[in-house]
């Protein structure tokens, strides 16, 4: 089963309406999703001292996982995610090379389970303020994309509904009169 959508499909008002509703839903999701990371400061994070076990990637077949890197620990029951906007090559490589058993101090936002600060053996690998800044930049992009989706979705939805109510009568209806 395959799905394709081209410019010719936009001539059909019902397909425009469906596409508009999907874009509106995605736009709303973008606007709601950005709130998950708002208001994070040191007081809303939990300080965790844990023994590092492994750094892993979450993988999905053909999909994109925004939090693809996560840490596991010997003495902390939850896995901790690294936000994709914070996982630069240097941090990722350092975490992949880190040996099991290393002591870590983390600031973890419990609501999102994201590490906002990582210290290994007293050395800061991920700074709280830098992490917050990178995540905020990422959220600004998502917010703009969400507004664009809402705008285009509204145009598609309206342009799909209007012809249904105000369009030309079908040929069979014209012949009947």
């Amino acid at each position: 089963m395959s799905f394709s959508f081209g410019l010719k499909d936009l001539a059909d008002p019902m397909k425009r309406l469906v596409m508009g509703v999907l874009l509106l839903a995605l736009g709303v999701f973008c606007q709601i999703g950005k709130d998950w990371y708002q208001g994070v400061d040191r007081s809303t994070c939990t300080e965790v001292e844990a023994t590092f076990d492994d750094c892993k990637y979450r993988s999905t077949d053909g999909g994109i996982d925004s939090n693809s890197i996560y840490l596991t620990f010997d003495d902390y029951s939850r896995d901790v995610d690294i936000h994709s906007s914070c996982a630069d090559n240097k941090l990722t490589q350092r975490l992949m090379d880190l040996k099991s058993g290393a002591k870590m101090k983390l600031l973890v936002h419990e609501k999102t389970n994201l590490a906002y600060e990582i210290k290994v053996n007293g050395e800061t690998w991920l700074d709280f303020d830098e992490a917050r800044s990178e995540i905020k930049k990422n959220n600004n992009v998502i917010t703009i994309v969400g507004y664009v989706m809402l705008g285009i979705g509204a145009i598609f939805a309206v342009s799909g509904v209007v012809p249904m109510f105000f369009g030309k009568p079908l040929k069979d209806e014209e012949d009947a009169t």
Side-chain angles (χ1 to χ4, degrees), residues 35-162:
D35 294 336
W36 295 335
Y37 305 105
Q38 300 299 322
V40 175
D41 58 23
R42 288 185 181 276
S43 67
T44 60
C45 293
T46 303
E47 189 171 311
V48 174
E49 290 187 35
T51 306
F52 177 78
D53 177 45
D54 200 6
C55 178
K56 298 181 180 183
Y57 283 101
R58 263 190 203 101
S59 62
T60 56
D61 294 334
I64 297 173
D65 187 358
S66 63
N67 295 320
S68 59
I69 299 173
Y70 67 101
L71 308 174
T72 60
F73 302 95
D74 290 333
D75 52 0
Y76 185 65
S77 61
R78 296 175 66 184
D79 295 342
V80 176
D81 293 317
I82 309 294
H83 195 276
S84 59
S85 62
C86 299
D88 61 8
N89 290 339
K90 181 180 177 183
L91 177 63
T92 302
Q93 190 60 49
R94 289 176 92 175
L95 289 170
M96 290 303 200
D97 293 342
L98 189 62
K99 302 285 186 228
S100 181
K103 298 293 182 188
M104 298 180 93
K105 283 188 176 185
L106 303 108
L107 277 179
V108 178
H109 187 241
E110 293 295 323
K111 181 178 170 185
T112 58
N113 206 42
L114 289 175
Y116 274 79
E117 186 170 82
I118 299 174
K119 291 183 180 182
V120 179
N121 297 325
E123 182 183 356
T124 301
W125 286 14
L126 178 62
D127 179 68
F128 179 81
D129 294 324
E130 288 176 21
R132 206 167 67 161
S133 174
E134 289 300 317
I135 292 170
K136 185 176 181 178
K137 281 190 240 177
N138 188 22
N139 284 338
N140 289 341
V141 170
I142 290 171
T143 300
I144 292 167
V145 168
Y147 283 131
V148 169
M149 283 186 197
L150 287 170
I152 294 172
I155 291 168
F156 277 21
V158 169
S159 70
V161 169
V162 169

